[in-house]
Every structure is written in structure tokens, then in C-alpha cells.
Amino acid sequence: MTATKKDPFKDLFFRPTDIASVAAFRFFFGALLFFSVIRFMAKGWVGQFYIEPNYFFTYYGFSWVKPWPGWWGMYLHFSLMALAALGIALGFYYRAATIFFFLSFTYVELLDKTNYLNHYYFVSLITLLMIFLPLHRAASLDAWRKPDLRRSTLPAWVLGSLQLQVGLVYFFGGIAKLKSDWILQAQPLKIWLAARPEFPLLGPFFQEAWVAHAMSLAGLLFDLSIPFWLLWRKSRPFAYAAVVAFHLMTVKLFYIGMFPWIMIVAAMVFFSPGWPRRFWPKSWGLFSEAPPSLNAKPATRSGPFQKLGFSLCGLYFLIQFLFPFRHLLYPGPVTWTEEGYRFSWNVMLMEKNGSVEFQVRNPLTNQTWQVRPREYLKPQQVKMMATQPDMILAFAHYLAEIYRAKGNADVEVRAEAFASLNGRPSQRLIDPSVDLSRVQDSFQPKPWILPFQDKGR
Amino acid sequence: MKSLSIVLLVALLAIGGCASPLAPPSDQLFKSLGYGVILPIYDDFIDESALLSDSAAELCSGPSADLLAQTQDAWRRTRIPLKKSEAFRFGPMKTLGVDQAIDFWPTRPENIEEVVAATEPIDDTFIENLGTSAKGLPAIEYLLFDPEGGNEQILVELNDPATGERRCEYLSAMARNVEAKAVLVRQAWDSEDGHFLRDLITAGGDSDAYPTVSAATSDFVNSMIFLAESVQGMKIGGPLGKRSGGTPDPESAESYYSDNSLNDIIANLEGLQSLYLAKYGIEDGSGFDDFVRLQNPELADDIADQIEAALEAVRAIPPPLTEAVVHHAALVETAYEEVRQVQVLLEGDFAGVLGSTVTFSDNDGD
């Protein structure tokens, strides 16, 4: 009789792992998504950001994404999204709910760059991942109504992929902080902390420069290392306490909405796989069957859907690792040009403010108009556009359309744009001599963004 | 491990330098701004609007050239503290709707003439219920000044047997309304009936209005930026032709009927300067310049210098603005650019160093 050949690959990725923790994650994360959507609606942001504006800064290649017509269209969209989130939480028609939520949430995000947030990007990624992860096979309405679905274990790569996704956010958040402004100048924390003298207990200390330096260093080390501390069983309790403390502090310090709560919940994927069983009575029947043996052999076969899911996950994470580095393909600091800035976990990395005006000129009649963006955009759009060159370009094109429609067969549009980065004096962001109406957007470097000059503070 | 901790601590201290505060106490700043600049400006507004109200009543008792000139002067003087207060146009002025009720422009003559032609009795309640485009200082200006017909035409209208009395009643009632609003705003800031200033001073603590100091400074910063943008883009840029293809558009000037545009702009910029430096009259307190100086001394002076440069450029324009945009366009253009630089500094550097949120939404940000 020949001995079964050990397959370390299979051991690592396909070892049966208790389903309890990922099912709990599904519930808590889905509940958080539900709350977030309701909160968004309750604050009036559906109308403010997706109905009232006359213009939307869509992403390159996604100009076809438009808000639903009428005020009710977007509210219906958000209402259905909330229901989908509930479906995820309860594990009710889970896969359909997850697919719908991913598509509907991502659609909203694609409507306007103005509202880009890193944690929105994270939500899109996680829900995309969850489509391929069978998180509904326990503690769900699906498992209750279809007992055949029930499982007590899932292959290890399912939990591993969630851990990797969450870990990536922290790790790349730390990589993003490897910049001289953050490390040597303690910017932007120096500015932000000084603006919070009323912070309980620590407020007076926030007025001291050395505290900003210490917190910058601590934040950097936290981001880079916390995934590993969470993975290690011995340090996990302390690491999670640090996660909670860190994010609760950011709740008090900054206006960052749901981000801290999302990460506090997301970090639970690092808990031991069977942790929920300690808290839920067996009689509830949430997790059928006994906990798996720690020595259980990996499944010798996995279903075709799981193999496909595993392969796609591999490709997905390869992209995840490479994507945040794309800014290296562009000249100049990414905090200045913002080429490759979004979707790279540049979280709370800079204090950047700008001021932009546009000059529209009809070369045939030599008439010129100075246009204040506020005449066409909402305040939030004006603020975000002022520091982001790709949005400045998009608005220039929009202005050109407007003035052509007014009877100017040919127009030129130029931007008078200044920006201040991390406490530095304002400097020109865009070449004022370039007619932006003739510049086509692309992934190529943008030569009309003026080089950054690191002037003193 | 222990030695590493010591090395790190020493490094932090070396990098951070000696203990140096990054900002002065916020309550000190807000007290200084409140008691030293904001309340005195609102007090002046009450005083001047009371004189306007008295002058209007006297004018209406028997319209004459002298009384008309006196009322016109009272109107101009009332504009000064109101325009200065635009630098801090948030709080009660906004929440009580007073800004729109007393300073809606551009003027809509048709709405004003509609009231004159109507028959409903004019009293304080009637004025209170009128739409914003038919009352306030711009509407009063329309009744007091005629750029084409001059004072003679105004006196003809005020003495017209059919509509003159009603016209004067309307004028007088609007002046009373402006005075009442001035008192309302002042009381809302600091009195037995209002405590907005206390909310500012206690920002981040017991404040009803400001959960954080940053929220309070953001209101100031946004108001100052909005003013600079408004002065540059609309009050100077409009008449200069920046919004009309380069062709001067004098009729788009604020206070067009009275040719008071330059005085308005100067008062706007003086208000901005007073707020930034916490300096009004002889009072000189801790202002935003001191706040900024702790983080960036050069920037603190740059902002002060640029506001002064903008003021000088505007003062250099020969009045009235409606003619200067045609005959002295270069000087107006210079003022336009100087105010633009004020806006750039406020919107970029000033907002940046204060870490305030240059926006009018409370959306999340990461």
C-alpha cells in the first residue's frame, strides 16, 4: 500500500476550516452595509450628491454611467441596495444579494469621482470577493431553508482571502505613508492635531509638534505591522485591542464616517475560525455539526465552482498587490499629480487645498470669460476638483461644451489652478497656457500638470 | 529593546524640537474675534441702521433735497458695517435668514415697483412678509438713488401725488425692518436671548453649535473665502466684463444705483482684514494671524500683506466703479488680480494650515 503523498499547497489552501467566523463576518459586515446605506439616505446625501448636481465627474471609460432619472430613481436604487445588504447579513438569497449589492454600490461609486473614498473602494472589493465565497453555508436563512447547503467547514483559502484583503488595506496604507512629509515633517498630522485642542485628555498635547511626530511614526508602524500581529495567535488579542483603540481615536479625531467601523468589523476575520461558537448556543442551530477536528485532512476534491473561485482569487490578489504601485509609472509625487492616487490605499495622507478658476476664450471673436466653478458645481465638487488635475481637465471639457452650446463654435479653456500641499505655500498646479479643451484624457502622464516645487513651509 | 526605545525617543525629541505649541488656545481666538471685531461691527450696524431709519422717517415727513441727501448718506454709512460683516457671514445672519432679507442683490426693480403700485397697507408685518427681492438695503437704494435722473427724479417720485406717499412709506418701513434685523442678529450673537458667541468660544466643549474647534474655524475660513471669491468674481469681475465675454457690464455692479460699489468692496476687504488681524478700531486682539504665525510665520505675514495690497489696489480705482471699468480698466484689472491672490491664499494656504474643511457639506472623508 502506498502512502498518500503530502501536498503542502493543498494543506495550506484547502484545509477544512471552521465556517463559523466567516459566517459571522458575513452577518456583521452585511449589517454594517445596511446601516451605512440607511445612514447615507438619512443624511440627505442621495439628493445632495447624486440628484442635485448638474454635472458628474465620471471615471475614465465610464462616462456612460449616469444617475437614474428623477428624484425617485436614485432613492429606489439605494433602497434596493439596503435590501441587498440585509440579504447579505441574513444570508438570504446570498449570492444574488451579494452580486446585486456589488453592482449597485459600485455603480454609485462610478457616478462621481467627487465622492471617492477609500472605504467605499474597500466595500466594492470585499463584496466582489464575497460573490465567490460561500459565506452563506452557515448561520443564514439560505442554510435554514435549504439544509443541503449547510457546511461546518470551508477551505482555508476562503478565510485566507478575506484576511488578505483586509490586511492589504492596512499594509498598503502603511506603504503609502513612506513619504518624507509623513515621516520627517509629521504632515499632515501636525496640522490636523493642532486643529483639535478640545480632544479629551490629549487635546493640549496635540499642540506640541513632537506629539505629531510620534503619532505619525506610530501610525506608520501600526499600518505596516498590524496584519501580522493579528495573524499571530499570541499577539492577536492585543493587536485587535489596538485596532479598536486606533479606529475609535480616528472616529473622534476626523470626519471619516463609516471607515473605522468597517475596519473594526473587517479585522474580526483574523479571529480564530471557531470563535462564534463560544457565543451562540448550540440550540440556536446556527452552526450545525460539531466543530471540525484540527487534524482533519484537506478535502481531496473541491467543487468546480470552488476551483474557479480560487483561481480568480489568485488573479484578483495579484492585481491588488500591483495596482497601488502604478503611481511609480508617472513622474512627480503622487500627492501632487494624483496620477495613480485613487484605489491605492492612500488613506488620510495629505492636507491639500486648492483654488481654481477657468478662462474660456473664443479665438474668433477674442471674447473671454472668467468662470467660477461654483456657478456649475456643488460645493463638494468645487473643493475636490480644485486639487485633482483629472477633474480639472474633465470640467474644462464640460465648460467647452457649455460655451459651444451658447453659440461659440470654437473655444479654448484654460485653468488658473493653485494648490497647497501639507502646509506648503500655494503653487500653480496646472500650466495656465494649455488649452485643456483640446487635451484628451488617458492613462498617459499629464505634461500639463506643473512640476511640484518643494518650497519651505 | 530598551536601548532601541531610548534611541527612538531621543530621535523624536530631536526631530520635534523643543516643545512648541502649534496653535494658541481657540477660546482666546474666538473671544478676541467676537468681542473685539464681530460684536462691535454689529453694534455699528445697529447704530447706522437706526440713523437710516430716522432719516427715512424725516424724509417722508416732507421730501426735500437736503433730507434726501441726508438719507442717502445714512444709507451709505449703513452699508459699511454690513459689508464688513460679510467676512463672517455665518451663524445667526444665515440661520435667521437676515442676510437675504436685508441684502439681496442684484436689485429687481420690477418687484419693488410692484409693491409701490399695490394697495395693501404697508406696515412692519407687510415688509416682513415680502419676498427678499422687494426689501432690504438694495431695495432702499433703488428708491433713494437714480443714476440717470439723479436726485431730482427721486424727489419727483417721492412727491408724486399718486404714489409718492406710498413710496415713502415703503422706504421708511424697509429702513425700520433693516434696523430690526440688525438688532435681531446682534442679540442672537450675545444677549439674554442669544448665545452664538458663547457657542463659538466653547467650541469643542459645551457648545450647542460646534462639536469641535475645527468646525468653528471652518465656518470662519469658508466665510472669508466666499467673500474673497464674491468680491473678485462678482463685485469686481462682473462689472469688469469677466462674465460677459470681456465687455464691461457696469449695471452688474453691486450698489449700481448709488455708485457705492467701491465703498462696498473696500468695506468688504476691511472687514476681512479686521477679522484676520482681530483689529477693529483701536482694539487689537489675537487674530487668525497669530493662529497662523505659530505654524508658519511667513504665511501669516503674506496673508496680511496680500489683503492690504488688495485694499490699496481697490482704493486706487477712481470712483465710481461703473465708469472705472471703462476708463480705468487697467486699475480695476489690477484690483481683480490682487483680490484673486487673496482668495488663493485663503483657499489654499490658510485653509491648509488650519486644517479646516473648505466645504459646505459634512460628508465623510478619508
Side-chain angles (χ1 to χ4, degrees):
Chain A
M1 184 190 278
T2 54
T4 308
K5 196 174 176 182
K6 274 204 171 180
D7 187 336
F9 179 80
K10 213 172 242 179
D11 273 355
L12 182 63
F13 291 102
F14 291 96
R15 176 182 298 281
T17 307
D18 197 329
I19 197 175
S21 71
V22 295
F25 167 78
R26 187 209 74 237
F27 173 74
F28 285 116
F29 195 72
L32 204 58
L33 294 180
F34 175 75
F35 174 75
S36 298
V37 175
I38 298 300
R39 171 179 176 267
F40 199 93
M41 295 170 75
K43 282 188 171 282
W45 291 343
V46 175
Q48 186 175 350
F49 297 123
Y50 300 113
I51 298 175
E52 291 169 17
N54 298 310
Y55 175 76
F56 295 91
F57 291 93
T58 50
Y59 289 85
Y60 182 62
F62 289 93
S63 59
W64 49 270
V65 179
K66 304 262 187 247
W68 300 113
W71 66 267
W72 59 269
M74 289 308 297
Y75 277 103
L76 179 62
H77 183 99
F78 272 79
S79 301
L80 292 175
M81 202 157 66
L83 286 176
L86 211 51
I88 293 173
L90 299 175
F92 186 58
Y93 289 95
Y94 164 79
R95 230 179 271 284
T98 315
I99 291 171
F100 183 86
F101 187 91
F102 165 73
L103 290 174
S104 58
F105 186 86
T106 306
Y107 156 87
V108 170
E109 299 323 302
L110 289 175
L111 280 173
D112 198 339
K113 287 176 190 172
T114 302
N115 307 311
Y116 170 82
L117 291 175
N118 287 295
H119 66 272
Y120 291 167
Y121 175 46
F122 176 69
V123 167
S124 280
L125 291 176
I126 281 279
T127 50
L128 173 62
L129 198 58
M130 285 166 72
I131 293 172
F132 300 95
L133 304 180
L135 307 187
H136 60 311
R137 292 185 180 269
S140 72
L141 290 177
D142 283 346
W144 172 72
R145 63 188 183 91
K146 285 185 178 179
D148 287 347
L149 276 177
R150 293 182 196 172
R151 296 286 185 277
S152 61
T153 66
L154 286 176
W157 66 265
V158 172
L159 177 59
S161 61
L162 288 171
Q163 292 173 336
L164 185 55
Q165 180 65 78
V166 176
L168 274 173
V169 177
Y170 286 111
F171 185 74
F172 279 101
I175 294 288
K177 290 175 174 67
L178 294 174
K179 293 181 172 59
S180 61
D181 273 5
W182 186 274
I183 298 173
L184 297 179
Q185 305 296 335
Q187 292 286 20
L189 272 189
K190 208 182 269 183
I191 293 170
W192 293 343
L193 295 178
R196 298 301 308 277
E198 78 284 348
F199 195 88
L201 294 178
L202 300 176
F205 295 99
F206 286 170
Q207 310 310 302
E208 307 294 335
W210 70 266
V211 172
H213 283 277
M215 289 182 68
S216 294
L217 190 59
L220 168 66
L221 294 174
F222 173 86
D223 277 348
L224 286 176
S225 65
I226 198 64
F228 306 102
W229 296 120
L230 285 167
L231 275 171
W232 190 27
R233 186 175 53 83
K234 285 187 179 175
S235 60
R236 188 176 300 144
F238 307 103
Y240 190 71
V243 164
V244 173
F246 172 81
H247 287 300
L248 287 181
M249 190 157 186
T250 60
V251 168
K252 282 292 285 181
L253 269 176
F254 309 119
Y255 292 107
I256 48 174
M258 295 303 298
F259 190 36
W261 310 108
I262 286 173
M263 297 312 293
I264 287 174
V265 165
M268 290 164 69
V269 297
F270 291 97
F271 291 178
S272 63
W275 75 266
R277 293 183 190 270
R278 283 178 248 157
F279 295 94
W280 277 275
K282 260 188 187 176
S283 59
W284 288 16
L286 287 175
F287 307 107
S288 60
E289 301 179 32
S293 163
L294 289 174
N295 296 318
K297 287 181 185 173
T300 53
R301 288 183 305 176
S302 53
F305 192 78
Q306 283 195 12
K307 279 185 180 171
L308 173 66
F310 177 75
S311 303
L312 288 173
C313 266
L315 177 64
Y316 169 89
F317 281 112
L318 179 63
I319 295 172
Q320 286 284 305
F321 270 99
L322 296 176
F323 208 55
F325 290 112
R326 72 192 188 286
H327 68 90
L328 296 174
L329 300 172
Y330 300 98
V334 65
T335 47
W336 182 246
T337 67
E338 303 210 25
E339 292 175 296
Y341 190 85
R342 296 185 204 97
F343 312 114
S344 301
W345 308 118
N346 291 298
V347 182
M348 301 293 287
L349 198 59
M350 57 181 182
E351 174 66 32
K352 192 178 183 189
N353 295 285
S355 178
V356 61
E357 239 182 39
F358 293 82
Q359 187 193 71
V360 179
R361 179 174 170 265
N362 182 332
L364 298 174
T365 62
N366 210 31
Q367 285 178 296
T368 59
W369 298 265
Q370 289 293 128
V371 180
R372 297 154 65 226
R374 198 190 294 276
E375 295 173 40
Y376 296 96
L377 301 175
K378 294 298 175 185
Q380 183 75 353
Q381 292 177 310
V382 173
K383 177 207 168 187
M384 299 309 289
M385 180 195 62
T387 59
Q388 299 182 52
D390 61 338
M391 293 175 72
I392 291 174
L393 177 66
F395 187 67
H397 282 247
Y398 177 60
L399 276 184
E401 276 176 36
I402 289 175
Y403 276 81
R404 284 191 199 109
K406 287 184 182 181
N408 300 281
D410 191 20
V411 289
E412 298 168 352
V413 182
R414 294 175 175 82
E416 285 271 325
F418 296 83
S420 166
L421 177 63
N422 287 338
R424 293 178 179 83
S426 287
Q427 54 184 288
R428 280 192 183 274
L429 177 63
I430 307 294
D431 187 339
S433 68
V434 172
D435 176 10
L436 295 175
S437 70
R438 280 165 174 68
V439 174
Q440 293 307 312
D441 198 7
S442 72
F443 291 124
Q444 297 293 316
K446 296 170 173 60
W448 42 270
I449 301 175
L450 291 173
F452 177 68
Q453 294 172 34
D454 196 355
K455 301 177 188 173
R457 291 185 174 79
Chain B
M1 187 67 184
K2 189 175 176 184
S3 52
L4 177 62
S5 304
I6 293 170
V7 167
L8 275 174
L9 184 60
V10 170
L12 277 168
L13 286 172
I15 291 169
C18 297
S20 53
L22 296 171
S26 59
D27 59 336
Q28 184 183 326
L29 169 70
F30 296 141
K31 268 184 196 166
S32 178
L33 293 176
Y35 292 115
V37 178
I38 295 172
L39 294 187
I41 288 179
Y42 280 136
D43 285 336
D44 286 348
F45 183 43
I46 290 176
D47 292 343
E48 298 297 349
S49 60
L51 287 174
L52 173 63
S53 182
D54 292 343
S55 291
E58 198 177 347
L59 172 68
C60 290
S61 65
S64 68
D66 287 344
L67 290 176
L68 176 60
Q70 177 184 288
T71 310
Q72 289 174 333
D73 184 59
W75 182 89
R76 291 184 198 279
R77 293 178 61 82
T78 305
R79 294 291 285 175
I80 297 173
L82 178 65
K83 291 292 112 181
K84 288 184 178 181
S85 74
E86 278 191 47
F88 42 90
R89 191 160 276 194
F90 61 91
M93 183 65 98
K94 281 277 190 198
T95 56
L96 296 173
V98 171
D99 59 332
Q100 291 288 298
I102 64 175
D103 199 21
F104 177 90
W105 72 286
T107 315
R108 295 197 183 154
E110 65 278 11
N111 292 8
I112 300 166
E113 293 295 349
E114 205 175 291
V115 173
V116 172
T119 55
E120 192 178 341
I122 295 177
D123 55 19
D124 291 349
T125 306
F126 174 80
I127 297 296
E128 187 62 31
N129 291 333
L130 272 180
T132 55
S133 62
K135 61 185 179 184
L137 285 175
I140 296 173
E141 180 204 14
Y142 173 77
L143 294 178
L144 285 176
F145 299 89
D146 187 329
E148 290 173 19
N151 285 357
E152 284 152 8
Q153 181 59 29
I154 296 293
L155 285 170
V156 164
E157 287 169 351
L158 291 177
N159 285 303
D160 184 279
T163 59
E165 191 178 332
R166 183 175 174 84
R167 207 171 187 88
C168 229
E169 271 177 14
Y170 183 21
L171 165 67
S172 190
M174 283 196 288
R176 290 197 302 274
N177 184 257
V178 170
E179 183 189 358
K181 296 295 185 194
V183 171
L184 183 70
V185 169
R186 173 62 178 83
Q187 286 179 341
W189 268 81
D190 183 45
S191 73
E192 285 178 3
D193 300 320
H195 53 77
F196 187 73
L197 180 55
R198 192 189 75 201
D199 279 340
L200 258 183
I201 293 168
T202 58
D206 297 334
S207 174
D208 291 336
Y210 296 108
T212 64
V213 169
S214 176
T217 52
S218 290
D219 264 358
F220 276 107
V221 171
N222 282 312
S223 187
M224 293 160 79
I225 290 169
F226 190 83
L227 176 61
E229 189 184 319
S230 170
V231 168
Q232 184 239 350
M234 290 179 63
K235 301 187 186 197
I236 299 178
L240 191 55
K242 296 294 186 181
R243 298 158 60 87
S244 48
T247 305
D249 183 16
E251 288 189 28
S252 69
E254 189 182 24
S255 299
Y256 162 74
Y257 293 95
S258 58
D259 271 337
N260 201 60
S261 313
L262 286 174
N263 291 336
D264 283 352
I265 293 169
I266 289 170
N268 278 154
L269 294 174
E270 286 177 345
L272 188 66
Q273 187 178 57
S274 291
L275 193 70
Y276 179 69
L277 300 173
K279 189 174 179 183
Y280 186 65
I282 58 171
E283 297 295 327
D284 189 356
S286 294
F288 279 112
D289 60 327
D290 301 302
F291 207 82
V292 172
R293 195 174 305 285
L294 282 172
Q295 286 216 43
N296 191 332
E298 204 177 308
L299 175 62
D301 291 335
D302 283 348
I303 295 173
D305 292 344
Q306 188 55 48
I307 295 174
E308 183 60 36
L311 265 167
E312 282 178 15
V314 175
R315 288 175 182 140
I317 302 171
L321 181 65
T322 48
E323 291 179 14
V325 294
V326 177
H327 303 298
H328 305 283
L331 289 174
V332 184
E333 185 75 43
T334 300
Y336 177 84
E337 289 300 331
E338 295 290 359
V339 177
R340 169 72 178 137
Q341 289 310 310
V342 171
Q343 184 195 344
V344 168
L345 279 175
L346 293 178
E347 206 164 5
D349 310 55
F350 184 53
V353 82
L354 292 182
S356 62
T357 309
V358 180
T359 184
F360 309 96
S361 147
D362 62 344
N363 190 20
D364 307 333
D366 68 357

